[in-house]
Amino acid sequence: MNLLAVDALDVRHGLLQAVRAVSFNIERGETIALVGANGAGKTTLLRAIAGAHAATGGRVSFNGADVTHMPAHSRVAQGIALVPEGRRLFAKMSVEENLMLARAAGRPGAWTIDAVMEAFPNLKARRNARAGTLSGGEQQATAIGRALMTNPELLMLDEVSLGLSPLAVDRVYASLQTLLNSGTTIVLVEQDLTRALRVAGRVICMLEGRIALEGKAADLTREQVTQAYFGLNKTGAGAAA
Ligand code: ATP
């Protein structure tokens, strides 16, 4: 059974249909890179899977159960976690307090504050610092740590590199590698195609709300993904819908 099944999902922002009949499955342990130009619908898709934005059509199933109309907090308890674009930490609370808040929302499991500190060593010295005083990289690590504290089965990360220095991005990805190696199922929105193809097992490219290309990272060239990204290969091999 698939961990996640998305079937003909439609999501709107008012009159604008941001996600159009999107279907795909994710198996347990997979790492998916979700790529596409600005406005392609990636954030809206992740938010709909997490329950932060209501779908207007289609179905989301998690572990075989229909969660399409389940509220976001219940989906967290089922094992779906989203690290949102922009991190959204409580700026006046400490790193530890931000992490503690998440624990109550999630599932029981192995992730503790100490385990997050081991996964993100740059947070150790900042444990009691207010989140608002952290560097971008430290904030991103805290946001990922907060999601991990819910012991997710599916971890979705929206543009973890955004606004970070190259060094901070490398640090975040080094920590993510530990998660990837541990078999956590991950969906990663990443603008850097080279990095996306390197990290992910499978790539899904969105264009104007639809899936323009989907395939194993090892079978795709950077050129194929770039063409799908800009809508240049609608008739080419591997293109969908
Ligand atoms: P980005 O990389 O810029 O975050 P994205 O692929 O994540 O892009 P979305 O943010 O999901 O794309 O946006 C999809 C479409 O929905 C775009 O046309 C965008 O302008 C529109 N949109 C996104 N958020 C809202 C909103 N809150 N209200 C109205 N329209 C929105």
Side-chain angles (χ1 to χ4, degrees), residues 78-217:
Q78 296 290 314
I80 300 178
L82 171 65
V83 181
E85 197 176 356
R87 299 150 203 156
R88 311 238 181 111
L89 299 171
F90 291 102
K92 296 209 166 130
M93 294 174 107
S94 69
V95 168
E96 185 167 325
E97 286 165 342
N98 270 280
L99 297 177
M100 285 300 289
L101 270 182
R103 200 175 61 172
R107 307 186 310 153
W111 283 100
T112 59
I113 290 180
D114 286 338
V116 170
M117 297 294 150
E118 286 308 312
F120 297 93
N122 58 328
L123 286 184
K124 279 186 190 165
R126 310 290 277 145
R127 188 168 172 151
N128 297 312
R130 286 184 180 196
T133 67
L134 303 177
S135 70
E138 290 163 350
Q139 287 189 18
Q140 192 63 76
T142 306
I144 298 171
R146 179 180 56 184
L148 291 173
M149 290 292 286
T150 68
N151 288 294
E153 265 193 282
L154 173 67
L155 178 64
M156 301 188 290
L157 301 137
D158 197 354
E159 301 215 32
V160 285
S161 310
L162 203 68
L164 301 188
S165 69
L167 181 65
V169 175
D170 285 345
R171 282 216 185 107
V172 168
Y173 269 90
S175 297
L176 280 181
Q177 198 58 51
T178 317
L179 299 181
L180 299 175
N181 296 343
S182 74
T184 308
T185 309
I186 292 182
V187 179
L188 190 71
V189 172
E190 175 55 67
Q191 291 288 358
D192 179 341
L193 288 186
T194 305
R195 202 183 278 276
L197 285 165
R198 194 167 60 222
V199 175
R202 193 146 59 92
V203 176
I204 296 177
C205 181
M206 287 184 77
L207 175 72
E208 295 169 0
R210 298 181 192 278
I211 294 182
L213 180 72
E214 178 180 355
K216 285 187 183 164

Side-chain angles (χ1 to χ4, degrees), residues 13 16 18 37-44 85 159 191:
H13 294 286
L16 184 125
N38 284 346
K42 308 177 298 293
T43 295
T44 306
E85 197 176 356
E159 301 215 32
Q191 291 288 358

